[in-house]
Amino acid sequence: SQSICVSRSFSSEIYNVKELQEQIANFASTMAEKLRKQGSVTSEMVVFAYTNKFKETAPQTYANNLVTFATPTSDHITIIAEAVRSIGKLFTEGYGYKKAGVIATKIIDEKLEDLRDSMSSPYVNGIDGLADYMHIGETLARKLYKTKEIRASRFNREIWFRKSDID
């Protein structure tokens, strides 16, 4: 399964929630840009921050939060807002954070998400709409899109493409 991680270790610990949120916002923006560049969307994102494990006398945490998007997205405003909100929840006063980041998981091709949305429209589910679509198997879909994995489970192991996308 594909994922995109953007994270950094900081030169010195961060003790301020606003400073940590600023860093996470930058990471989230970079992640959203990578998603858009490859024509993908994500339905889940993990936001994490942890302390310096080598400072044994300091309080330790490996805090993380899973964000599930109602609709898969690559929208930087949505991704940044959720990442900043999550890190605000994870932050504990008095802890020095040494590393933080964001990881996009459950990534799919944006065209498949657009198709899933269009397949749920009344027009497409009507008899006239189906004439513009054809069913193809998972193996053929992989060959057409040359990807390691197509998340066919989202379509009940059936994948529908517009005929015009294949011709």
Side-chain angles (χ1 to χ4, degrees):
S1 166
Q2 185 184 19
S3 64
I4 296 173
C5 177
V6 181
S7 66
R8 298 286 180 276
S9 290
F10 309 120
S11 57
S12 59
E13 287 85 4
I14 294 177
Y15 289 89
N16 179 294
V17 67
K18 294 293 183 199
E19 190 178 341
L20 191 57
Q21 286 175 322
E22 187 179 312
Q23 293 294 329
I24 285 292
N26 288 331
F27 303 154
S29 179
T30 300
M31 184 185 75
E33 186 180 328
K34 287 181 178 188
L35 284 166
R36 285 192 307 277
K37 197 173 193 176
Q38 70 182 29
S40 298
V41 290
T42 184
S43 57
E44 285 184 356
M45 169 178 66
V46 176
V47 179
F48 68 90
Y50 60 84
T51 54
N52 187 346
K53 62 185 175 186
F54 300 109
K55 277 195 172 178
E56 294 173 8
T57 57
Q60 299 291 313
T61 186
Y62 179 87
N64 62 79
N65 186 48
L66 176 66
V67 176
T68 303
F69 298 105
T71 303
T73 187
S74 63
D75 178 66
H76 74 283
I77 293 172
T78 303
I79 290 172
I80 291 169
E82 288 300 318
V84 168
R85 187 181 60 77
S86 288
I87 208 69
K89 281 198 227 173
L90 297 175
F91 184 84
T92 304
E93 197 68 45
Y95 283 56
Y97 294 90
K98 185 67 177 166
K99 184 170 185 169
V102 292
I103 306 168
T105 59
K106 294 196 177 178
I107 296 172
I108 62 168
D109 187 300
E110 192 170 31
K111 289 179 185 174
L112 290 179
E113 181 58 25
D114 290 345
L115 179 61
R116 188 186 67 82
D117 289 345
S118 67
M119 289 301 291
S120 64
S121 76
Y123 174 77
V124 173
N125 288 331
I127 294 169
D128 294 337
L130 285 177
D132 292 333
Y133 290 82
M134 64 180 278
H135 171 262
I136 60 173
E138 190 174 0
T139 304
L140 179 56
R142 283 189 186 136
K143 286 179 184 172
L144 287 169
Y145 277 79
K146 295 181 177 86
T147 60
K148 293 178 187 171
E149 178 183 4
I150 289 185
R151 294 193 176 274
S153 60
R154 293 180 64 116
F155 303 95
N156 268 340
R157 294 248 167 249
E158 293 181 328
I159 300 175
W160 291 80
F161 286 92
R162 272 191 195 120
K163 289 178 183 176
S164 60
D165 291 343
I166 295 169
D167 297 337

